[in-house]
């Protein structure tokens, strides 16, 4: 069966403008252009669009999706299995949050007594799951299964006070970093204060701290566009400035 832009858009629940943009972006080309100049899509394109929408739902950028689906090694069946696993993880996150809300309602209505640790358990687990989904494979390859599992356990077992402290540390680190950027000196007092706050923040998650690992993480903030976007959304170039400050702080230089 073949589809025009209008029919495929109606089938998938997306606009014809989006489909045209996907064509221009090089992520979903039509099977052919008919004699009247209309884009015509076949079954292969329908399947490709389903994959694209799956990845969009999981939060991937269009650039990332294009790299995946246009790769010669792209395996549609394996991609579907990965989608299925990630959706199951998301369902587990939602189930945990729902259970947490239900407990909170019961506590509010006086039916149960709920500790503060229990109130935040669902949110901490969601943070762990989100990190696993976004960065799990990379950090496990870089630091090993044991280090990642220890870090997850530390986060899951954090008290309310510890969780508040780590949030404040990160806020203080960003504030110092942004002020330091105005001076433009990654070796200056404010930049080095930010690097030290970053070390303290990391130490909440890490079982042991080393200068080399600290410098490696800072370099990853620049090398990985997802981390770069997280830091640079506050101020363009923030990830690179933090990397430079950490390299001064640790006395190391990543190649």
């Amino acid at each position: 069966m073949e589809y025009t832009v209008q029919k495929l858009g109606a089938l998938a629940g997306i606009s014809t403008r989006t489909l045209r943009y996907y064509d221009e972006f090089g992520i979903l080309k039509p099977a052919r252009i008919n004699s009247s100049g209309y884009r015509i899509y076949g079954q292969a394109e329908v399947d490709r669009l389903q994959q694209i929408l799956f990845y969009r739902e999981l939060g991937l950028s269009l650039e990332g999706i294009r790299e995946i689906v246009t790769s010669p090694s792209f395996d549609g069946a394996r991609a579907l299995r990965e989608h299925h696993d990630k959706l199951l993880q998301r369902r587990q996150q939602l189930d945990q949050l729902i259970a947490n809300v239900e407990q909170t309602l019961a506590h509010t209505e006086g039916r149960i007594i709920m500790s503060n640790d229990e109130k935040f358990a669902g949110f901490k687990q969601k943070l762990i799951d989100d990190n696993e989904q976004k960065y799990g494979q990379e950090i496990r390859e870089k630091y090993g299964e044991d280090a990642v599992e220890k870090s997850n356990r530390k986060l899951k077992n954090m008290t309310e006070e510890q969780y508040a402290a780590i949030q404040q540390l990160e806020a203080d680190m960003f504030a110092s970093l942004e002020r330091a950027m105005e001076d433009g000196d990654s070796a200056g007092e404010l930049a080095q204060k930010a690097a030290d706050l970053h070390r303290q923040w990391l130490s909440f998650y890490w079982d042991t701290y080393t200068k080399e690992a600290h410098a490696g993480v800072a370099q990853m903030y620049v090398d990985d566009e997802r981390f770069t976007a997280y830091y640079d959304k506050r101020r363009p170039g923030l990830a690179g400035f933090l990397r430079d400050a950490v390299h001064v702080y640790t006395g190391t230089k990543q190649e």
Side-chain angles (χ1 to χ4, degrees):
M1 188 172 181
E2 293 187 327
Y3 299 86
T4 62
V5 167
Q6 288 78 12
K7 287 182 178 180
L8 183 57
L11 176 69
I14 60 176
S15 69
T16 56
R17 182 179 179 182
T18 296
L19 285 171
R20 292 188 180 97
Y21 178 71
Y22 285 174
D23 181 7
E24 295 168 4
F25 192 72
I27 199 171
L28 181 66
K29 294 288 186 182
R32 61 185 178 87
I33 305 294
N34 69 11
S35 58
S36 300
Y38 291 109
R39 294 174 174 87
I40 302 297
Y41 298 86
Q43 189 59 50
E45 289 70 43
V46 172
D47 293 343
R48 168 69 64 85
L49 178 59
Q50 183 190 39
Q51 293 286 358
I52 292 169
L53 296 181
F54 275 143
Y55 282 122
R56 291 295 283 165
E57 181 65 23
L58 292 171
L60 272 70
S61 67
L62 282 180
E63 290 83 359
I65 296 171
R66 179 170 60 183
E67 184 176 342
I68 292 170
V69 301
T70 60
S71 169
S73 62
F74 177 70
D75 183 333
R78 184 177 67 185
L80 281 174
R81 285 193 293 271
E82 291 173 354
H83 289 317
H84 182 257
D85 291 342
K86 289 175 181 177
L87 288 172
L88 288 176
Q89 291 172 12
R90 181 172 293 181
R91 183 173 70 181
Q92 183 181 22
Q93 293 174 13
L94 288 173
D95 287 344
Q96 289 167 341
L97 286 175
I98 290 168
N100 190 259
V101 170
E102 289 174 345
Q103 278 187 301
T104 304
L105 281 172
H107 171 76
T108 303
E109 294 167 356
R111 291 184 281 117
I112 65 169
I113 296 174
M114 190 178 186
S115 71
N116 286 334
D117 285 343
E118 289 174 324
K119 291 177 185 177
F120 290 98
F123 295 104
K124 289 189 288 186
Q125 185 61 52
K126 185 177 186 300
L127 180 58
I128 291 171
D129 292 340
D130 285 346
N131 286 338
E132 283 286 348
Q133 182 175 323
K134 292 178 182 178
Y135 315 116
Q137 181 177 346
E138 292 94 333
I139 60 177
R140 287 175 186 278
E141 289 175 354
K142 189 174 182 66
Y143 300 108
E145 292 281 343
D146 187 56
V148 174
E149 290 302 326
K150 284 181 179 178
S151 176
N152 287 343
R153 282 197 299 272
K154 285 186 72 173
L155 177 56
K156 194 170 184 177
N157 293 328
M158 274 184 189
T159 64
E160 180 185 2
E161 292 77 14
Q162 288 173 322
Y163 189 77
I166 195 171
Q167 296 293 99
Q168 187 60 53
L169 260 179
E170 185 179 35
D172 292 344
M173 184 268 293
F174 275 120
S176 296
L177 198 59
E178 290 183 58
R179 292 200 305 272
M181 269 196 83
E182 294 174 3
D183 297 337
D185 184 7
S186 61
E189 183 179 350
L190 270 175
Q192 291 307 292
K193 177 184 177 182
D196 185 64
L197 289 168
H198 188 250
R199 174 193 62 78
Q200 295 177 51
W201 179 78
L202 285 174
S203 295
F204 266 95
Y205 297 100
W206 288 0
D207 193 45
T208 57
Y209 170 87
T210 68
K211 290 182 178 181
E212 291 74 16
H214 189 183
V217 166
Q219 183 64 45
M220 184 173 64
Y221 292 165
V222 176
D223 294 340
D224 190 311
E225 64 180 13
R226 295 165 300 178
F227 287 101
T228 304
Y230 176 74
Y231 284 89
D232 283 10
K233 70 182 178 182
R234 295 173 179 269
R235 179 172 295 190
L238 197 67
F241 189 82
L242 174 58
R243 183 269 317 274
D244 293 344
V246 169
H247 284 174
V248 173
Y249 180 82
T250 58
T252 58
K253 178 67 176 177
Q254 299 292 305
E255 297 299 333

